[in-house]
Amino acid sequence: MKKQAIIVGNGTTRKNYDLNTLPDVSTFLCGIAHREMNLTTLAGHKIYHVTVEEYRKDMLLEDGISESDILFPVDSVDHVEDPRYHNRFTNIPRNNSGMFAMKKAIQYGNTELSILGFDSLIQNDAKQSISNMFEGKPETRARAEDNPNRIRYLDWFCLHNMFVNFYFVFDKEYEFYDVNANNIHVISYERFMKNVV
């Protein structure tokens, strides 16, 4: 039986989507996405706040988010990409909150993930591919030249979670990076609203 969850990244392809209209399923908000929501209105929804960055965790706490609702890596291995992918345990690229959110959503038993604002999949628009709803620290900002490696890692991750469907939601058509995992799907916001009930 499928179990649905939503992951809200912060690429600007989601900027015209009202997060207050999210369906009532488990929702994993990356970084400080909650600042665009009325959490009082959404009381009763199961919402997790996800980050792999210490300063973002501090911002969540300053905003009054309960530590029990924050998913932050306890193990150092979750601060970097999976060592099995790299076949090594040193000099591994840092993880990002979106990938950590996917991992946690799967660990919680979700098998249908709708993912908003994951713009690194976009190949034909470098500026859009690294856009962010919230400016971060320069040392943590994504670079367009890192996207091919990030997508290869995403592809590997999805291939190693074949029982899960990953639906990446976009506002319009783009040219996307090629992937091998047949459980990666790109859908519109219209289809997203019909799929998630």
Side-chain angles (χ1 to χ4, degrees), residues 7 32 41 53 131 168 178 189 192:
I7 294 170
I32 53 174
T41 301
E53 298 167 339
S131 67
F168 291 88
D178 290 330
Y189 277 94
F192 161 66

Side-chain angles (χ1 to χ4, degrees), residues 7-8 166 193:
I7 294 170
V8 179
F166 300 81
M193 292 304 293

Side-chain angles (χ1 to χ4, degrees):
M1 187 168 135
K2 69 180 182 180
K3 184 178 176 185
Q4 297 177 319
I6 298 169
I7 294 170
V8 179
N10 288 307
T12 60
T13 56
R14 70 159 182 81
K15 67 181 178 182
N16 293 320
Y17 180 77
D18 183 358
L19 297 181
N20 292 303
T21 65
L22 286 171
D24 187 8
V25 299
S26 292
T27 300
F28 297 76
L29 301 176
C30 295
I32 53 174
H34 70 280
R35 291 186 175 179
E36 297 189 328
M37 305 170 72
N38 184 335
L39 295 180
T40 302
T41 301
L42 295 171
H45 287 226
K46 188 54 189 173
I47 295 176
Y48 303 93
H49 304 265
V50 187
T51 185
V52 296
E53 298 167 339
E54 189 77 47
Y55 82 98
R56 289 291 198 204
K57 180 183 178 184
D58 291 340
M59 292 171 75
L60 289 169
L61 293 170
E62 289 167 6
D63 284 356
I65 303 300
S66 170
E67 188 150 12
S68 63
D69 291 329
I70 298 173
L71 299 179
F72 182 77
V74 175
D75 299 322
S76 59
V77 69
D78 282 327
H79 284 278
V80 295
E81 294 178 354
D82 195 314
R84 294 173 298 173
Y85 170 71
H86 295 280
N87 292 315
R88 63 178 191 269
F89 291 89
T90 57
N91 299 319
I92 300 174
R94 67 182 182 85
N95 205 357
N96 63 71
S97 296
M99 293 302 305
F100 185 54
M102 290 182 221
K103 179 178 179 178
K104 298 306 289 186
I106 293 168
Q107 286 178 348
Y108 292 176
N110 297 288
T111 58
E112 302 275 316
L113 306 185
S114 295
I115 304 150
L116 288 60
F118 207 86
D119 291 2
S120 56
L121 270 172
I122 298 170
Q123 185 175 26
N124 64 327
D125 189 335
K127 183 177 179 181
Q128 180 65 61
S129 74
I130 58 170
S131 67
N132 200 295
M133 298 293 293
F134 308 97
E135 285 299 321
K137 291 188 174 182
E139 61 268 27
T140 65
R141 290 287 290 137
R143 301 180 307 162
E145 54 266 35
D146 295 331
N147 285 342
N149 288 332
R150 293 176 70 189
I151 300 309
R152 280 191 286 270
Y153 176 61
L154 169 70
D155 196 21
W156 175 89
F157 178 86
C158 294
L159 282 167
H160 282 73
N161 288 282
M162 287 302 296
F163 56 91
V164 177
N165 278 306
F166 300 81
Y167 295 96
F168 291 88
V169 187
F170 286 93
D171 57 340
K172 63 181 183 180
E173 291 187 9
Y174 297 92
E175 180 182 326
F176 298 102
Y177 284 98
D178 290 330
V179 293
N180 294 310
N182 61 14
N183 56 338
I184 292 177
H185 315 278
V186 173
I187 64 173
S188 66
Y189 277 94
E190 290 75 19
R191 184 176 164 195
F192 161 66
M193 292 304 293
K194 291 177 182 176
N195 280 9
V196 183
V197 294

